[in-house]
Amino acid sequence: MEIKECIYKTKCDLGGCKNLADYTIIRQQKSILSICKDCIKEFSEVSRTVFVPKSIPAPYKKQKKI
């Protein structure tokens, strides 16, 4: 999956948005989603709250032995 700049004038595919699409999400050589800058910023902020990376173990704590 990759994100490229949109070369055609199309509307944003997300519901309720009336802006023109700036980016296109492509999967296996097919365009699956056209999205504007505002929606992609909002989408990235929301996805960061869902997908939180695990923290690394603290080096000063005693590690559990197996």
Side-chain angles (χ1 to χ4, degrees):
M1 188 182 296
E2 56 186 306
I3 299 175
K4 292 187 175 182
E5 286 191 32
C6 189
I7 55 175
Y8 303 109
K9 288 187 177 182
T10 59
K11 277 179 66 174
C12 180
D13 288 339
L14 295 181
C17 184
K18 296 180 181 180
N19 296 333
L20 288 177
D22 297 314
Y23 299 101
T24 302
I25 299 175
I26 299 172
R27 183 174 183 176
Q28 297 175 354
Q29 304 300 326
K30 288 186 178 179
S31 173
I32 59 170
L33 185 66
S34 298
I35 192 166
C36 67
K37 285 182 182 179
D38 297 334
C39 291
I40 204 165
K41 283 181 186 178
E42 188 175 337
F43 182 75
S44 66
E45 290 173 7
V46 170
S47 66
R48 284 186 209 137
T49 61
V50 175
F51 301 108
V52 179
K54 291 183 179 180
S55 62
I56 59 172
Y60 52 84
K61 284 188 173 179
K62 289 185 179 182
Q63 300 295 325
K64 292 182 181 179
K65 293 185 180 180
I66 299 176

